[in-house]
Amino acid sequence: MSTSNEPHSLLNCTVKELADYSISGAASLPSAYFSHCPAVAEAEPVVNEEIPTIDVSLLKNGTPEERSRVILDIGRACEEWGCFNVVNHGISESLQTAMMEAFSKFFNLTEEEKKYYTKTNLWEPVCHGTSTNLMGKDVRFWRDFLRVFVYPVFHSPDKPNDFRTISEEYALKTREIYNELLRAIWESLDLDVSFMEESLELKSSSQTLVGNLYPPCPQPELVLGLPPHSDPCLLSLLMQNKGFNGLQVLHNGKWIVIQLVPRSLLFLTGDIIEIVSNGRYKSIVHRVMVSSESTRISVGSQVTPPIENVTIAPAPKLLERTNCSTIFRGITYKEFLALKYQHNSMNSIMDFIKV
């Protein structure tokens, strides 16, 4: 398929460009995007089910009894679900809206303006890309993204003009939330908070903001926004615009459509938490479906250990107290990431690091 006004091969287009072409009457998508089989999809159970909702303000402002109850609730949600709605998190509605709009403005820049940030190295401080390839070189996904490293060194694209100010404040607020949540997670596992912060070098941890754009797709039944995967981090905090609920999590063999509570953030357990907890807390597998009518934008904040010199392994005190054998071998975070991106996203790399 081609049109006279296409600037380059369709497989080199951003997803936003492809969506614009389809609106203007272009034919079907390149077959590389057909990663979802309708026959298989019909056999997959997809249900609407409420996930846990946790009031995190009680971690700082509640009574000792309320705080203890919230920590138990967080532990139970991490063990049984791997995700939960975070409410009363302290980020104003105006800041959430401004952050969402800032990413939207970036995606609406001209392709030439965005191309400055289009990198082949995903570790660039500011990286714009499309169709992240997790399953093989011939498979594409219906997603454009902007990933920005915001801690320990803050970075930002130059455009839009207000992106730097908004993202700096949003990054600080989300960092305060995930620091509080990590302390609660360590306490729920009866682990010493200071020891865990030192062993994972969390004071030198990295924080990224990732904006994801999923524009209307002309053939949504054949396409995925993102395939089933878990996140190679400690935790993710996610918000999304109103409209199509494209995010689904895998729970007890069923895909659950995530219905976010208004103004809430979605907490997702990452791979590192699963390793440190020796498998007690599972990293949540999730995927993104797309719509033929609605544009979905999500903004995620992730925290990871430093890439160098940190060994990820089950917490020794947890193994000692529970009298359990370790199920994962120790691995540096750099080695873990290399394994993660070497293997098909449909297969958990946890099998490769089991003892």
Side-chain angles (χ1 to χ4, degrees), residues 24 70 120 137-138 146 186 285-286 322 328 330 332:
S24 65
V70 170
T120 55
K137 63 182 180 180
D138 297 325
L146 173 67
W186 306 142
V285 174
H286 50 290
T322 58
F328 299 116
T332 66

Side-chain angles (χ1 to χ4, degrees), residues 36 73 103 115 128 132 139 149 166 188 202 213 217 249 277 315 317:
H36 196 51
D73 289 342
F103 273 104
K115 188 179 295 185
H128 169 254
T132 300
V139 179
F149 283 83
I166 294 168
S188 74
L202 293 185
L213 172 71
C217 178
V249 300
S277 69
K317 291 185 179 180

Side-chain angles (χ1 to χ4, degrees), residues 206-273:
S206 293
Q207 182 189 8
T208 55
L209 293 182
V210 184
N212 302 295
L213 172 71
Y214 307 96
C217 178
Q219 295 169 286
E221 71 281 0
L222 300 175
V223 173
L224 288 171
L226 278 177
H229 68 285
S230 58
D231 293 334
C233 61
L234 284 150
L235 62 85
S236 299
L237 290 172
L238 187 83
M239 66 173 176
Q240 64 183 22
N241 62 338
K242 297 177 181 178
F244 177 66
N245 293 314
L247 181 64
Q248 299 178 357
V249 300
L250 188 62
H251 180 63
N252 293 334
K254 298 178 293 186
W255 287 106
I256 309 297
V257 179
I258 292 295
Q259 311 273 354
L260 281 182
V261 175
R263 290 204 53 224
S264 70
L265 300 172
L266 178 67
F267 168 97
L268 299 171
T269 305
D271 295 332
I272 308 306
I273 292 291

Side-chain angles (χ1 to χ4, degrees), residues 104-117:
S104 180
K105 289 177 185 176
F106 177 88
F107 291 124
N108 283 323
L109 294 174
T110 66
E111 295 303 322
E112 197 63 33
E113 289 174 307
K114 288 183 290 188
K115 188 179 295 185
Y116 178 79
Y117 300 104

Side-chain angles (χ1 to χ4, degrees), residues 89-100 239 242 262-263:
H89 42 66
I91 301 179
S92 67
E93 183 176 7
S94 60
L95 179 56
Q96 286 184 273
T97 300
M99 187 73 267
M100 194 72 70
M239 66 173 176
K242 297 177 181 178
R263 290 204 53 224

